[in-house]
Amino acid sequence: MVPIDRAELTAAMDGLREELSTGPDPDRTRVLTRWIGTAQLGLGNHDEARTFLRWSLELAITSGNVRAIVATGLNFGDAHRYAGDIETAETFYRSAMDTARGQCPELLDFALQHFGKHLMERGDLTGARTHLQEALRLRITKGNTELVESTQAALDRVDALVGNAVVAPDEWSREWTTWLQAHTTVSDPTRWHDDLTAVRGAVQSLAVHQRVQPRHLWDQPFPTELVAAMAAEAEQVLAADGYRHNGKRNAAVGDAANRFAARVDLAAIVARSTGLDVEQPHTGVYIGYTEGQFLDFHLEEAGFGEANLIICLARTRRAGTAKASTTVFISAAGYLECDLDTGCGVVFDGALTPHGRTRLGVGESVTLISLGFRARDRERRVLTNLPPVPA
């Protein structure tokens, strides 16, 4: 978003702020905060944009205005995307798409367009084309020439990028994930011994580049009251705003997670445990698993960070169960299972360490928070000389 006239936009936004200061009714407040947030986004003030758009989105949710929830959710996703917080942006885009499909189909083409352009910027050209083509079909049906031209321009850009594309890190990780899932699976541990010969050699080529080795953090003094607060927040947002992703549910973190990150020096914990000097977490997501669900082996996209920290917030299991669900990694030495109890964590390099979660049994549930950390040394963030995906 580039303003045609910054001075005029700033003056208009000041007028909106003045009206907001008069204390209008909640519906007008929702409109004003959305307009102010969008203006701040155009001016490049990303923190201010997120503050006002969060306010507007909360009012939309409180009022039950589904159209406003979808539209403001897309704006909020844009605010995170422009600020470089890709994972959180994707959370809001997906939530807006899910809501539009189920409750507000007249806005689905807008949600698809926002998400398609987001995927294009990430280098996922196949995913971008899929979402933009669906948006185009809907817009042709609407008969709005301006909207059709906008989507067609985006598709033309995707085609141009495809013509000049090299394999980007995110595309590389998806190709590796496809290969891993074709050769082994978390859902059948009886296969692991037979799979290992074929998989080990491939994983060894990844291990050479790993910035962090998997380590079970069972002895960290995470404050129990903060973990419990996150567990309660996660349960609420997963139920209300969660979206299905790879066979589980994800949802954006909120105030409880922010308080946890402010109170606990997570960067220091990761650095002490791994030897990698990292910044405080730049992104996070709540994850919920229930009975029968699992997460097959995969690699994270590089943008999530050079170190991932997963902390178990809550879990239930049936008494007497012989085998519980575990987080599992494939290392150069073989398969490594990590049984996380509440308040325990595991740190690893998700972009270069195949990982997943074994199937949950009867009556079992697990709630996690996954946090992404960036290396302070920016050169460590760049993946070069990536091992090719096996034939």
Side-chain angles (χ1 to χ4, degrees), residues 89 184 205-206 262:
T184 187
S205 70
L206 294 173

Side-chain angles (χ1 to χ4, degrees), residues 33 41 141 208 224 227 229 232 236 263 296 327 337 383 386-387 390:
T33 50
L41 187 59
T141 300
V208 172
T224 56
V227 172
Q236 180 179 5
R263 287 268 303 274
D296 222 337
T327 301
E337 290 190 82
L383 293 175
L386 295 171

Side-chain angles (χ1 to χ4, degrees), residues 344-385:
C344 295
V346 60
V347 63
F348 59 101
D349 184 347
L352 292 165
T353 309
H355 59 286
R357 171 164 284 278
T358 58
R359 190 182 299 275
L360 276 67
V362 176
E364 191 173 7
S365 65
V366 179
T367 304
L368 310 168
I369 183 172
S370 179
L371 300 162
F373 297 78
R374 289 175 171 152
R376 291 189 186 276
D377 181 354
R378 291 182 176 271
E379 291 185 2
R380 302 296 298 275
R381 301 181 185 181
V382 180
L383 293 175
T384 58
N385 300 317

Side-chain angles (χ1 to χ4, degrees), residues 177-213:
T177 294
T178 298
W179 185 89
L180 288 163
Q181 293 177 359
H183 289 79
T184 187
T185 177
V186 298
S187 62
D188 185 9
T190 61
R191 279 185 49 185
W192 291 357
H193 177 74
D194 296 334
D195 296 338
L196 185 56
T197 301
V199 173
R200 177 185 284 161
V203 173
Q204 284 175 336
S205 70
L206 294 173
V208 172
H209 298 268
Q210 287 171 354
R211 284 77 52 104
V212 170
Q213 300 296 317

Side-chain angles (χ1 to χ4, degrees), residues 53-126:
L53 290 169
R54 181 183 295 108
W55 185 358
S56 183
L57 182 58
E58 288 171 352
L59 289 170
I61 293 170
T62 299
S63 67
N65 187 327
V66 177
R67 284 184 60 88
I69 291 170
V70 173
T72 311
L74 292 173
N75 296 145
F76 202 28
D78 288 342
H80 284 89
R81 170 176 139 222
Y82 285 21
D85 188 352
I86 302 303
E87 292 294 330
T88 303
E90 183 158 324
T91 296
F92 284 102
Y93 288 140
R94 288 187 181 277
S95 179
M97 282 195 302
D98 286 349
T99 302
R101 284 191 191 280
Q103 303 178 56
C104 194
E106 67 272 21
L107 292 184
L108 179 56
D109 59 311
F110 290 94
L112 291 163
Q113 173 100 347
H114 279 254
F115 190 52
K117 292 167 74 173
H118 161 76
L119 293 174
M120 177 171 60
E121 292 179 4
R122 293 194 69 174
D124 181 0
L125 302 181
T126 300

Side-chain angles (χ1 to χ4, degrees), residues 48-324:
E48 286 285 295
R50 284 182 287 189
T51 296
F52 281 97
L53 290 169
R54 181 183 295 108
W55 185 358
S56 183
L57 182 58
E58 288 171 352
L59 289 170
I61 293 170
T62 299
S63 67
N65 187 327
V66 177
R67 284 184 60 88
I69 291 170
V70 173
T72 311
L74 292 173
N75 296 145
F76 202 28
D78 288 342
H80 284 89
R81 170 176 139 222
Y82 285 21
D85 188 352
I86 302 303
E87 292 294 330
T88 303
E90 183 158 324
T91 296
F92 284 102
Y93 288 140
R94 288 187 181 277
S95 179
M97 282 195 302
D98 286 349
T99 302
R101 284 191 191 280
Q103 303 178 56
C104 194
E106 67 272 21
L107 292 184
L108 179 56
D109 59 311
F110 290 94
L112 291 163
Q113 173 100 347
H114 279 254
F115 190 52
K117 292 167 74 173
H118 161 76
L119 293 174
M120 177 171 60
E121 292 179 4
R122 293 194 69 174
D124 181 0
L125 302 181
T126 300
R129 179 185 280 125
T130 298
H131 287 81
L132 289 169
Q133 285 176 334
E134 184 179 356
L136 182 63
R137 288 194 295 271
L138 293 172
R139 289 182 164 184
I140 290 172
T141 300
K142 281 185 174 182
N144 187 315
T145 302
E146 185 177 355
L147 294 179
V148 169
E149 290 176 351
S150 172
T151 305
Q152 187 60 61
L155 277 166
D156 291 344
R157 178 61 178 160
V158 170
D159 290 339
L161 290 170
V162 168
N164 298 302
V166 297
V167 177
D170 288 348
E171 183 65 27
W172 173 89
S173 68
R174 285 187 286 274
E175 290 179 3
W176 262 98
T177 294
T178 298
W179 185 89
L180 288 163
Q181 293 177 359
H183 289 79
T184 187
T185 177
V186 298
S187 62
D188 185 9
T190 61
R191 279 185 49 185
W192 291 357
H193 177 74
D194 296 334
D195 296 338
L196 185 56
T197 301
V199 173
R200 177 185 284 161
V203 173
Q204 284 175 336
S205 70
L206 294 173
V208 172
H209 298 268
Q210 287 171 354
R211 284 77 52 104
V212 170
Q213 300 296 317
R215 181 174 177 187
H216 189 170
L217 305 181
W218 54 270
D219 56 350
Q220 295 301 320
F222 296 132
T224 56
E225 72 277 10
L226 296 181
V227 172
M230 286 191 291
E233 179 176 74
E235 180 180 6
Q236 180 179 5
V237 298
L238 284 166
D241 302 316
Y243 59 91
R244 290 192 63 81
H245 184 60
N246 291 341
K248 53 184 173 47
R249 291 190 73 79
N250 285 9
V253 298
D255 291 341
N258 293 332
R259 287 194 297 272
F260 175 72
R263 287 268 303 274
V264 180
D265 192 347
L266 294 166
I269 290 172
V270 170
R272 284 197 305 268
S273 303
T274 66
L276 180 67
D277 189 16
V278 296
E279 299 174 348
Q280 293 297 335
H282 73 98
T283 188
V285 63
Y286 286 132
I287 302 171
Y289 294 89
T290 56
E291 179 181 318
Q293 294 181 338
F294 66 94
L295 177 61
D296 222 337
F297 290 116
H298 66 287
L299 296 180
E300 299 290 351
E301 295 183 349
F304 198 76
E306 289 65 63
N308 298 45
L309 173 61
I310 292 177
I311 301 172
C312 180
L313 303 179
R315 70 179 305 172
T316 60
R317 65 178 82 180
R318 178 170 290 183
T321 302
K323 179 69 172 177

